[in-house]
Each structure stands twice: as C-alpha cells, then as structure tokens.
C-alpha cells in the first residue's frame, strides 16, 4: 500500500512540476520536452490503476505522435518568443491574488466535504464479466456497443478539426502556374503538321 | 441497432455532411451545396418530428419533447444562417464550400447538447459545436478582425472547456456518477464540493451563452466574424447551450436548486445591467447586437432562476421570440450593402427611411420589439419572464429586468431615430437581398402578429417543458 | 355569409387605406370609392338576408373564429355571435353604412383625400360589427374602442381645421370616462362570474342574484355595481346627460359621418349594451332606476337645448341625444324590445335627417347657420320632401316608423310602476312637443319664409346629384314603413318568437290605456307643428320677441345649460393649473433634474466605463472570467 502511494505521489508530483515548467521555460523546445515528461508520468498513473492499455495508448499517441510532431513543428519554425516583462509584472499581483483565492477555496472545499461514495447508486457496470478478459478486450467490448455514441462523436470532432485546419490554411495561390493535364491534352488548333521539304526549312 | 433510431437525425446530417464534403471537392458549385445543406436540414427537421421518445446509450442520450422543440429551433437558426450565407458569400470573402458543412457539424453538436443526459455527452456535444464555431469565426482569412475573432474565441473557449471539465470531474468525484438522473438520485445536499462543481460547469456553459462575466469574447467575435456567421452565433448556440443548462440544472440538481439559483441570479443581473450600459456607447451595429444578445440571455436566465413551470415556459417563449427577432436583425444587417461593400456602423443608417421606407419601417418595428415595446412579440417575451419572476417571488430580479430594459430601450430607439430623422445618405443596394426577404418578411410578420395569436407559441412551450418538470 | 359580413369591411378598409398612400388621382379615388361601397353594399344585402331569413325562426348561431387569449380560467375568442339583437344591429349598421358610403361619393366629391375617408368609414363599420357580433365582453370592448378610434379619426378628418381637432380630442376624452366605467364593469363581471363570455354570464346570472361585492371597502350588490359601471360606459358612448358634451361638437366632422356614427350607429352602442345585458339589468332594479332617471333627464334636457340652436346639424345632434334618452328610458323600464325598436327606426329617420341636412349644406355652399338660409324650397324640392318625411317620422306622426316606436316607449312609461316612471312619463311627453317644435322650426327656417341669403348665393342653390338623393330615398322608405312592418316582431304579437331569448321580454297589458293617453303623443306632436308654424311662418317676428322677453332663459338654453362652461371651470381649468405645477416645478425641476437628466448623465458615464473594460486583450478577458468565477465561488462558500 505504501509503495503504491509513494509511486502515486512521485508521478503526480513530477506531473505538476513538469506542467509548471511547460509554461515557464523560455525555450519552446524545452517546453515540449517537459510536456512529454508529464505525459509519461500520467501514463505511469494509469499503470498504477491497472489500466495498462490506456497507459500504452497515451504513450504511443501523445508521446509518440502528437508531442513529437509538436517538437518538429517548433524546431522547424524556430520561434523566438519575447515576452514583455512589464506586462507580466503588471499582472502578477492580481494573478497571484486569484491563484491564492482559488487554492484557498479549494482547500476549504476539500476540508468541508466528506468523501463517502460507499452506498451510491451507479449505472449497471457494462464490464461485469471483466475477469478473464484483457484490458484491451474489455474496453473494446463496450467501446463499440454502449459507448459507440461517444466514440463516434469524438471521431466527428477530429474530422471537424481536420476540416478546420485545412480550410484555414490551404490557400490557392494566384499567379502560380500549374499543370492541368486534361486541358493540355484537349488543346487544339495550335499544332500544325508541316511537311518539311529538305533543304528549304519552314516559316515560323 | 435499435438505439440508432434515436440518433437518426444526427446520423443523417453526418452522412450528408461527409457526402457534401467529398462532392464539394469536385463540384465547385457552392450555391448547390448550400442548397442541398438547407434541404437536408429540412429533412432533419422532418426526421426529428417523427422520432419516438426514448432514451438510449445507457440513458446518456434522451429524445423527448424538450429536445424535439429545441432541436427544431436550432435547425431553424442554422437554416437561416445558411440563407444569409447565400446572399453574402461573394462579397464577404467567405466563398468557401466548407461553410455549410461546418454549420451542419456544429448543428450536430448542438443537437447532441440538447439531448445530452450525461456529463460526457454534454462535453462531447459542446466540443463538437465549439470546434466548428472556432473555425467559422476565423473563416475570412483576409480579414485581420476575423482571424483575431477566431483566435480569441478559440483560446477563451479552451479556457472555458477547461473550467467545464474541472467542474465535471468535481461532480463525478462527489457524486460518483456522470448520468444526470443518477446524479439526482445520489445527491448530497451537504456536499460543498458538488456545488463548486456546479459552479465550474455553469461557468463553462455561461461562456457558451455569453453571460456576464464570461461574455468578454462576444463583442469582439461578433464584430470580427463574417455577418452570416455572427448571425449563426447569435441564433443556434445560445439556444442549444440554454437547453443544456436547463437539463443539467433541472434534471440533476433540482433538489438543491436553492444553491444554484443564487448563481444564476447573479449572472442574470450582471448580464442585463452590463449589456444595457455597455451597448449605449457602441458605434458598430454588430457589437451592439453582441451586447443586445448578452442582455437577452440575461432576461432568459431569469426564467431559469425561477425554477418553476412558469419560468421554464417563459424561458422557451423568450427563446423562440429571440430566435425570430435575431433572424430579422441579421437579415437586416446583411441588407446594408452598397457597391459590394457592407456597412456596419450605426451612423451608416442615417436617414435610410427616405430611400427604403418599407425596410426601415420593418426594422424600426423589430427594434421596438427588441426594446420590448407592446404590442410586439418582444414585449410579451419579457412580460412572461417578469411575471414568472414575480410569481416565484423574485421581485428584485424582475425590477432589475425592467430597469435594464428601460435603459436598453435607449440604444434600440436611437437606431430608429437615426434612421428616420437624420440626414439621408446614399441608397443601399436592393437587388442582392432577394433571398434575405425569405427571412426578413416572415420574421417581421411573426413579430407583429404575435399578440393577435400567441397560443401556438405558448402551446409549444407547454409541450416542451412537460418532459423536464 | 356571416364571415363575409365581418371581413368585407375590414378588407375594404385595408385596400382603401393602402390606396391612400399613393398620390391621389382620379382612378385611385374612384377605385377606393367603388371597392368600399361595393363591399359594404354586399354586407348590407347579406345582413338583410340573414335578418329576414331568420325572422320567423330566429335561431341562435355562434361561430368561433379562433382563440384570442387563453390564460388560466380567462378565455376570450374572436367569434361571431348571431342572435336576434345582433341581427337587428347588423341590419341597422350595414344598411345605413352602405347608404352613407354611397352618399359620401357625392358629398366628398371635392375633397382631396377620398380613399382615406372611405377607408375610415369602412374601419368604423368593421369595428361596429365586431362590437355587435362579440360573444364576450372583451371583443365587445375591442369593437367599442375601435368605433371610438374611428369616430376620433372621422371627427378630425379635416385635421387642418383647429375646431375639428379640438372636437375630436374632446370626443375622445369624454368617451374615455365612459370607457373606464365599461372596463371596470368588465373587470367586475370577471371577478364575480369568473368569465366574460355572454353565455356563461347570462346563464348563471340568477345564481349571483344576491351576491355582494366589496368595492372600495363597501359591500355593494354585485349586479347593481356591474350594471351601473356598464351604464356609465353606455352614457359616454350614447352621449347621455353629464357625458353628452362631445356629441354636438362632433358635428365638426363631415356630415355623412354625423349621419352614420353620431346618429344611427355608434351612439346607439350604449343602448345596445344595456339591451344585450338585459339579463343582468333585469335583476338590478336600482341600476334600472338610474338608467330611467338619466335617460328621461337627457331626453328633456337635449330637447330644450335643441329649441334654440341655430346650427342645423347641432339641432339634429341634440335631437339624437334626446331620442337616445327615450331609448334608455325604455330599457330602464324593462321594455328592452321597445328600446331596440326605437333604435331601429331612429337609425333610419335620423340618418335621413342628417343626410338631408348634408344635402342642404351642400346646396347652400357649406353654410350651416340656419339664420343664413330660408326660402330655398323651390330649389331643392326632393331634399325638402325627404326631410319632411324624416321630420314627421321623428315627431311621431301616425303610421310613420317613429310613431310606433316612440308611442310604445311613452305607453310603457305610463303603465310602468317603476320608481321614476311618472317622472319619465311627464318629461317624455313634454319632450314630444319640443321634438316636434324644433324639428319644424328647422324645416321652416331652412326651406320656408323669406330668404336670408345673399342674392348671388341664392341663385347658385341647386339640388344635389342623384348619387346623394338615392340613399335619401331609400332611407325615407325605411323611415316611413319599417315601423309598421316590424312592430309586431319587435314589441307586438310575435315578440317572444322574434327575440327568442336574446333579450328579456316582459308582457304588459296594453288594453288598459285610456284613449286620450293613447293618442296624446300624436296630438302633442301636431301641436308642436302648429306652434312652430305660428311662430316662424305666420308671425315670423314672434320667435324673436319671445326670446327678447325671456332673455335669461333663452341664453341658458342657447348655451346648453352652461354645461361646457361648468365643466371648463370645474375640471379643465383646475386640471390645467395642477398640470402646470406638475410640469414646471415637480417634473421640470425635481424629477427631470434628479431623475432622467441626472440618471441619463450617470448612464452615459457608466457606459463609457463599461466600454473601456472591453480592452481587446485576451488575458484581460481571461482574467475577467477567473475573477468572476472566484467571486461566485467565494460567495457560495460563505453562504454555505
């Protein structure tokens, strides 16, 4: 038990610190690297909860694909972020004030509330025959049945995101010559077949 | 398979959207695609009207009277903005065939929102809706204002989604459920955490309906986005988010209404007063309409705060009237066009009754209606709301509402004054607004004749609320 | 058919008024005239058909058009309620209106806003029809206000004339007092009965017979209170004593308007209201006494004033006022049938007199002062004949329409044992002499004797065109024969069948009347004629001498018992003075200074501040969200 708790605090502590670093480092490449670190630790949290599949997905998708893509983009674009110090100083007091208020309030809330979820009524667990199934298999068995709506809607959201990014960035440049094969082939009347007499040449 | 019937309209719209997306790539006929989109939205209305009432997907998605009415209203809003798109696409530099498709995706999101009976469905619907709206706001790439509107809306929207998710995690943590009905069963009135969760979720939803103090994006986005999109912003998402808000509060937290009533109370008063004051100093019509819609949301929230049948009924009546009035207003904004340029400043209207007597008269009527002057529809919307507030002994709210509507009458009436009594300017184009007349005249007529025959609207709202109360 | 009766005038009004937006030309004017006249004529024919068709079998029909307001237990529909009383009113309204429409084509031929005029006339007709076909008090009130509006518009039709505007405003304001009473009456009905539908109210009236109602802390008999409120409304609309002052001034409007609105139809709406509510009035004896008292006093008062007036239209206006008094007496004595009968016949002969007067005015070049007429009988023979017919019907000459209806009222007064029956009988009988006298005085001053017109004007006097004369002739037929034709239905043998429960009918024994009493009205009427003839034809300076001898009395009558002056000093001047104080001091200095102007300045300052908050920076906006959120959470935590 203590080992589990210890790992939990370790992982979540690293997540907090690295998240803080994401927004405070000056170098964007470092930011992305810290982001990856926080993803990895989140995956660790999943492992503690015995959700191996989610942990692996997190690493493959977020770390392997998304964050690395981020990294590429950041490196290629070569950002030079220059943040105006005056501005930050101007807003630090009120920012701190709000932050302190929020934290204080959340602490009050936590103190005042009893966690007692022992006798609550919940949905019938769709994963009733969980035993004997692997993590992946169990998720798969509900993802395409009871939770199909969420699953598909998430897919629609991704589609919209794709359409959106294309719409906003794809532009047809004017003044650029493109090859249109069909038009080329349909051109007529511009080619003359001339019977060239030897030694005489043709007039152009 | 059986449960797919309950999301048939959504599935249908999704298929149409994808088919149109592919078609549009090869067939560069935006008008045709738009027409097909309008037609399929009409088909969706038909499908919705013929759906069986049921809840599906582990009771996370409900089809009932309430969702039916709101979905039809949302679809009307979407259709209206597609009609506005036809009339203005060439001149506003938004000649992009993805426009109707994005509108359809957004509409699907809203339909999921009003049917959502689960925190997850709520969040997914909201995100689908918002993501399309972010893109739409930035659609005019050549305009700095439009891009700025898109980025502002996106960033602040992400912030509000964060708040919403935070709230959802609280509610889940303190009640052990994400389903609205099960939350209601397991509610613990002593739990402060649950209430904090509600506050955060409400903050996220208030952002979507642009209620004060979560409204700051509204004026900038309304002004920056191309007008048909602004119209869409003002019409459909407000209704969807309002419906979601009602279902969320009434279905899961009806028992502890005393706690959230205070929050709605505060948001409502702040919206009404801020909108009334801030709108007076505006010179841009679209910004003015942004504040106007903030104010109207403030009035509508009174209906939520009442937590009675009366309040809910008056809320629905208000939303219906709001929808009609805004269709008319945005159709009007799009008709302010001269030599391929659009005019958005209040001063551009000066003396327009000399050149366009009929149009000016109608818009004056709509302004009177927005200001809530009897016997036009807008008056009755406010009237029912205030009566509901008084009956549930929220006298203070009613008084603030009346004061705010008196103040806001100033800026509506100023428009009328400028149109009628100031020096006339050049004529606006008359030819390009034929399709707008489709929106303009029916909505104006509805506003005018409402007082003669209000029963249908009242009956529809009665019908809708029976599944909530 | 019933639908078209209601709708055609409305359509006529809409078409005609939209035509009036165009620049006036011959074609548009003609179109407006033809469309409105044609539509009204069709409704008149339909109304007659409905009336005659149902005369033997007066079934009751109620057509619900659509729901108007439905709120809790309160329900009001737009509907067409056709019972006998409504059918009678339909005939009166549409036939007089049709004739007036046609007549106006001639009368207004020199006016340059004809479509507007015809449109207003149609609007009036529509509103009046809404009033009489209501099946609930709210629709009645709608029609009531609608006719008030149309009357206001038409009195002030020549809006460039200041006197016309003043008269229009006066009519509107005086009517407002009555309307307030009517509205209170309707409220009380709803509180007491819980409904404002005729059927519900009238069917349940007996169970509310002894109900008391708390009004201003006093327990009052509910039905009496309701009836008095309703009657105050009727007094305003029907120009009864104390609320009569607007009617003579309303003669500023074009003469066809006076004929239609201020003689035949609108002013009788009050009588119609009392008759319609006869089930209520019948159980409220105190209210009935009040009706008799006011009616009889008005009949007498207006007749005395009519004796000395010099304006041709004012004489007829006072006559109208007086005749309305007769109707109220009949209603107050429980003879609702007689009231309706007199309403019916009066509409025809009074419209005839007014239109005849219009024809005279037209002939003598828009002159209305009788002292500047005289001796024109040879120039306008048909008009004179028509006016004689109207006059004998008004004075109650045997076998004319007026004879039957007026006699019935006077006999009722004689036979009744109501508290004020004797008072009413005496005043009405005296009124008969005076009626006859002032009618013939008018005739003689206008047509006979030596002319008092300038020579060149006299030569230009001419008979009116046939479009004006034909309506006169049709009305004359009504004035002569309708009394005889319909008396058995309204008050006689068939009355039970005819009314079929739409009004309360009482039976009285008519045989016990002494012969002298029976013939007295006719004899007195002829006496009045003789006196008038003696004073104005035989010895034409006698009238002047009598006036000289009784100077104070003459002035008292000429100035209409000083009612206008009295009201002026009691109500108008103090109101103006108080208004001045409120305007200059309280409103201008205190309220404006600290209120609107002060607040307006404050609002614009706040508004600029509110605008400045909207800086355009995203992080400001994010801060706003977070600050708002933390305020709400703090509030929640402290409250918890």
């Amino acid at each position: 038990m203590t080992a589990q708790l210890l790992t939990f605090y370790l992982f979540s502590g690293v997540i907090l610190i690295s998240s803080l670093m994401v927004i405070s480092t000056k170098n964007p490449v470092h930011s992305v690297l810290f982001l990856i670190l926080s993803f990895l630790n989140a995956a660790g949290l999943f492992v503690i909860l015995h959700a191996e599949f989610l942990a692996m997905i997190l690493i493959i998708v977020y770390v392997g694909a998304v964050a690395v893509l981020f990294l590429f983009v950041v490196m290629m674009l070569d950002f030079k972020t220059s943040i105006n110090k005056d501005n930050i100083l101007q807003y630090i007091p009120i920012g701190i004030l709000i932050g302190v208020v929020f934290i204080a309030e959340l602490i009050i809330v936590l103190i005042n509330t009893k966690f007692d979820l022992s006798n609550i009524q919940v949905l019938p667990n769709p994963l009733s025959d969980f035993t004997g199934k692997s993590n992946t298999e169990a998720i798969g068995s509900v993802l395409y049945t009871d939770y199909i709506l969420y699953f598909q809607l998430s897919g629609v959201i991704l589609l919209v995101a794709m359409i959106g990014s294309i719409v906003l960035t794809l532009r047809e440049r004017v003044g650029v010559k493109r090859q249109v094969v069909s038009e080329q082939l349909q051109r007529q009347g511009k080619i003359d077949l001339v019977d060239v007499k030897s030694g005489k040449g043709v007039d152009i | 398979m059986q449960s797919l019937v309950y999301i048939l309209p959504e599935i249908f719209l999704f298929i149409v959207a994808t088919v149109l997306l592919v078609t549009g790539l090869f067939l560069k006929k935006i008008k045709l695609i738009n027409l097909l989109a309008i037609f399929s939205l009409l088909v969706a209305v038909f499908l919705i009207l013929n759906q069986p009432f049921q809840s599906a997907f582990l009771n996370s998605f409900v089809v009932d009277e309430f969702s039916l009415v709101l979905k039809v209203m949302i679809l009307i809003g979407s259709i209206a903005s597609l009609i506005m798109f036809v009339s203005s696409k060439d001149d506003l530099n938004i000649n992009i065939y993805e426009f109707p498709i994005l509108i359809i995706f957004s509409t699907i999101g809203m339909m999921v929102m009003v049917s959502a009976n689960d925190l997850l469905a709520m969040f997914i619907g909201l995100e689908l809706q918002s993501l399309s709206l972010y893109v739409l706001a930035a659609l005019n790439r050549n305009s700095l204002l439009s891009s700025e509107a898109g980025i502002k809306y996106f960033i602040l929207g992400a912030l509000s989604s964060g708040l919403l998710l935070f709230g959802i995690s609280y509610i889940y943590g303190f009640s052990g459920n994400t389903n609205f009905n099960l939350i209601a069963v397991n509610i613990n009135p002593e739990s402060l955490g649950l209430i904090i969760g509600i506050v955060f979720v409400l903050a996220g939803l208030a952002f979507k309906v642009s209620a004060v103090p979560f409204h700051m994006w509204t004026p900038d986005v309304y002004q920056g986005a191309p007008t048909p999109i602004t119209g869409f912003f003002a019409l459909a998402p407000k209704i969807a988010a309002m419906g979601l808000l009602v279902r969320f509060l009434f279905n899961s937290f009806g028992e502890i209404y005393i706690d959230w009533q205070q929050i709605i109370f505060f948001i409502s008063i702040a919206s009404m007063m801020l909108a009334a004051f801030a709108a007076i100093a505006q010179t841009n019509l679209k910004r003015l309409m942004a504040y106007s819609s903030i104010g109207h949301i403030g009035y509508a929230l009174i209906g939520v705060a009442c937590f009675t049948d009366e309040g809910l009924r008056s809320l629905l009546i208000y939303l219906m009237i709001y929808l009609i009035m805004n269709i008319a207003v945005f159709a009007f904004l799009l008709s302010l066009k001269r030599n391929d340029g659009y005019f958005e400043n209040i001063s551009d209207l000066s003396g327009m009754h000399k050149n366009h007597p009929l149009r000016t008269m109608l818009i004056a009527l709509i302004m009177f209606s927005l200001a809530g002057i009897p016997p036009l529809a807008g008056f009755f919307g406010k009237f029912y709301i205030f009566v509901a507030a008084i009956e549930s002994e929220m006298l203070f709210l009613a008084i603030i509402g009346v004061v705010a509507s008196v103040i806001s009458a100033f800026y509506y009436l100023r428009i009328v004054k400028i149109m009628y009594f100031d020096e006339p300017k050049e004529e606006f184009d008359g030819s390009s607004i034929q399709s707008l007349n489709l929106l303009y005249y029916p909505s104006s007529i509805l506003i005018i004749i409402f007082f003669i025959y209000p029963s249908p609207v009242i009956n529809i709202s009665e019908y809708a609320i029976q599944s909530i109360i | 058919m019933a639908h078209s009766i209601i709708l055609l005038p409305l359509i006529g009004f809409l078409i005609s008024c939209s035509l009036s937006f165009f620049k006036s030309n011959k074609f548009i004017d003609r179109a407006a005239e033809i469309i409105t006249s044609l539509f009204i004529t069709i409704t008149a024919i339909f109304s007659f058909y409905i009336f005659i068709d149902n005369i033997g079998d007066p079934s009751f029909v109620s057509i619900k058009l659509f729901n108007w307001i439905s709120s809790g237990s309160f329900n009001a529909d737009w509907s067409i309620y056709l019972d006998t009383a409504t059918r009678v009113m339909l005939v009166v309204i549409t036939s007089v209106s049709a004739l007036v429409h046609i007549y106006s084509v001639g009368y207004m031929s020199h006016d340059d806003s004809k479509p507007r005029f015809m449109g207003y006339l149609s609007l009036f007709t529509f509103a009046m029809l809404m009033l009489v076909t209501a099946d609930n008090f709210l629709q009645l009130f709608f029609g009531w206000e609608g006719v008030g509006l149309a009357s206001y518009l038409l009195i002030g039709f020549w809006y460039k004339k200041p006197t016309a505007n003043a008269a229009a405003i006066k009519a509107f304001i005086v009517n407002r007092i009555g309307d307030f009473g009517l509205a209170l009456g309707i409220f009380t009905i709803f509180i007491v009965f819980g409904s404002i539908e005729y059927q519900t109210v009238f069917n349940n009236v007996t169970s509310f017979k002894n109900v008391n109602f708390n009004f201003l802390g006093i327990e009052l008999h509910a039905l009496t209170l309701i009836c008095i409120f309703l009657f105050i409304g009727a007094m305003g609309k029907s120009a009864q004593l104390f609320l009569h002052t607007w009617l003579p001034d309303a003669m500023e409007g074009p003469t066809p308007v006076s004929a239609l609105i201020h003689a035949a139809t609108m002013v009788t709406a009050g009588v119609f209201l009392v008759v319609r509510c006869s089930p209520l009035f019948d159980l409220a004896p105190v209210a009935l006494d009040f009706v008799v008292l006011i009616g009889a006093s008005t009949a007498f008062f207006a007749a005395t004033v009519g004796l000395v007036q010099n304006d041709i239209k004012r004489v007829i206006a006072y006559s109208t006022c007086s005749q309305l008094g007769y109707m109220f007496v009949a209603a107050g004595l429980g003879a609702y049938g007689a009231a309706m009968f007199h309403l019916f016949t009066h509409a025809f002969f009074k419209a005839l007199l007014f239109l005849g007067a219009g024809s005279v005015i037209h002939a003598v070049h828009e002159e209305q002062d009788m002292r500047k007429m005289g001796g024109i009988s040879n120039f306008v023979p048909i008009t004179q004949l028509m006016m004689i017919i109207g006059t004998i019907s008004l004075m109650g000459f045997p076998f004319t329409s007026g004879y039957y209806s007026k006699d019935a009222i006077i006999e009722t007064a004689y036979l009744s044992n109501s508290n004020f029956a004797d008072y009413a009988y005496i005043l009405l009988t005296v009124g008969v002499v005076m009626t006859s006298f002032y009618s013939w005085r008018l005739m003689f001053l206008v047509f006979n004797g030596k002319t008092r017109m300038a020579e060149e004007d006299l030569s230009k006097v001419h008979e009116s065109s046939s479009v004006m004369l034909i309506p006169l002739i049709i009305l004359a037929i009504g004035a002569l024969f309708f009394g005889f034709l319909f008396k058995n239905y309204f008050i006689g043998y068939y009355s039970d069948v005819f009314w079929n429960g739409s009004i309360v009918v009482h039976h009285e024994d008519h045989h016990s009347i002494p012969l002298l009493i029976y013939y007295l009205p006719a004899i007195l009427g002829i006496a009045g004629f003789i006196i008038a003839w003696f004073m104005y034809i035989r010895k034409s300076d006698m009238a002047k001498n009598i006036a000289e001898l009784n100077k104070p009395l003459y002035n008292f009558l000429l100035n209409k018992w000083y009612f206008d002056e009295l009201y002026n000093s009691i109500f108008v001047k103090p109101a103006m003075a108080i208004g001045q104080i409120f305007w200059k001091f309280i409103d201008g200095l205190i309220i404006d200074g600290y209120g609107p102007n002060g607040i307006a300045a404050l609002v614009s300052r706040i508004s600029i501040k509110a605008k400045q908050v909207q800086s355009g920076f995203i992080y400001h906006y994010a801060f706003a969200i977070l600050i708002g959120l933390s305020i709400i959470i703090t509030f929640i935590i402290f409250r918890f």
Side-chain angles (χ1 to χ4, degrees), chain C residues 106 109-110 358-366 376 378-383 453 457-466 468-469:
Chain C
S109 58
H110 303 301
S359 179
V360 169
I361 294 168
H362 214 60
V364 299
H365 323 299
E366 317 304 324
I376 59 169
N378 291 335
F379 300 97
V380 287
I382 304 176
T383 305
M453 295 176 73
D457 286 344
L458 189 65
S459 61
K460 279 191 251 164
V461 172
H462 57 88
E463 185 62 281
S464 303
S465 59
S466 56
M468 286 165 71
L469 291 178

Side-chain angles (χ1 to χ4, degrees), chain B residues 152 156 190 192 195-196 199-200 203 213-214 216 219-220 259 262-263 266 277 280-281 287 291 452-453, chain C residues 66-68 603 606-607 610-611 613-614 616 618 621-622 624-625 628-629 632-633 635-637 639-640:
Chain B
K152 272 183 185 165
L156 293 172
E190 301 292 308
L192 181 58
I195 295 160
I196 297 299
V199 174
F200 276 98
F214 311 104
M216 302 290 271
D220 293 0
D259 294 308
Q262 309 278 342
I263 308 165
F266 168 78
F277 283 115
I280 288 174
R287 279 188 95 82
Y291 283 107
I452 300 174
Y453 196 42
Chain C
F66 53 89
N67 187 271
W68 180 13
V603 164
I606 296 177
S607 154
K611 196 185 172 186
V613 172
Q614 198 74 33
I618 293 183
Y621 295 0
I625 292 178
L629 192 63
I632 295 174
I633 292 179
F635 170 77
I636 290 287
I637 286 176
R639 212 190 57 85
F640 196 74

Side-chain angles (χ1 to χ4, degrees), chain C residues 107-120:
Chain C
Y107 192 84
M108 303 299 282
S109 58
H110 303 301
D111 203 276
D112 50 7
S113 43
K114 293 180 202 107
R116 188 162 62 95
F117 184 76
M118 303 307 280
Y120 286 168

Side-chain angles (χ1 to χ4, degrees), chain C residues 188-244:
Chain C
T188 319
I189 287 175
F190 182 67
I191 294 171
V192 173
F193 291 93
S195 168
I196 54 162
E197 279 168 23
Y198 291 160
Q199 296 265 295
T200 327
V201 173
F202 296 156
N203 290 341
N204 296 327
V205 67
T206 40
S207 49
F208 290 93
K209 204 170 158 186
N210 297 315
V211 172
N212 280 343
F213 183 79
N214 192 325
F215 180 68
L216 300 176
I218 312 164
E219 285 284 314
L220 291 171
H221 182 221
L223 285 181
T224 306
L225 188 68
I226 290 172
C227 290
I228 286 181
F229 277 146
L230 292 180
F231 181 61
I232 289 172
M235 278 166 68
K237 197 64 64 193
S238 294
Q240 292 300 289
L241 198 59
F242 304 119
L243 295 180
H244 65 279

Side-chain angles (χ1 to χ4, degrees), chain C residues 309-313 315-316 356-361 363-364 367-380 383-384 387 438-453 458 461 536-537:
Chain C
Q309 294 302 311
N310 292 319
D311 184 314
I312 179 168
K313 284 175 70 182
V315 175
I316 312 180
S359 179
V360 169
I361 294 168
V364 299
E367 180 58 65
Q368 301 196 9
D369 194 335
M370 294 192 292
R371 287 170 298 188
K372 293 179 185 157
M373 299 180 189
I376 59 169
S377 65
N378 291 335
F379 300 97
V380 287
T383 305
Q384 190 191 14
M387 287 207 53
Y438 65 63
S439 307
W440 285 106
R441 170 174 172 266
L442 182 153
M443 295 300 295
F444 294 142
L445 278 178
V446 171
F447 293 106
N448 304 101
K450 242 170 69 191
T451 184
R452 294 175 293 283
M453 295 176 73
L458 189 65
V461 172
Y536 288 94
I537 301 291

Side-chain angles (χ1 to χ4, degrees), chain A residues 87 90-91 94-95 98 101-102 104-106 108-109 112, chain C residues 617 619-620 623 626-627 629-631 633-635 637 640:
Chain A
N87 255 346
Q90 192 188 339
Y91 294 106
I94 187 153
I98 290 178
V101 167
F102 264 111
E105 283 169 345
L106 293 183
I108 293 173
V109 169
N112 274 317
Chain C
F617 294 114
Y619 45 93
H620 284 179
F623 265 127
L626 293 176
I627 292 171
L629 192 63
S630 59
I631 290 173
I633 292 179
T634 314
F635 170 77
I637 286 176
F640 196 74

Side-chain angles (χ1 to χ4, degrees), chain C residues 9 21 66 70 72-73 94 201-202 293 303 416 443 473 476 511 531 583 621 639:
Chain C
F21 286 116
F66 53 89
S70 176
S73 65
T94 56
V201 173
F202 296 156
L293 187 65
S416 170
M443 295 300 295
I473 293 166
H511 301 291
I531 299 171
W583 170 37
Y621 295 0
R639 212 190 57 85

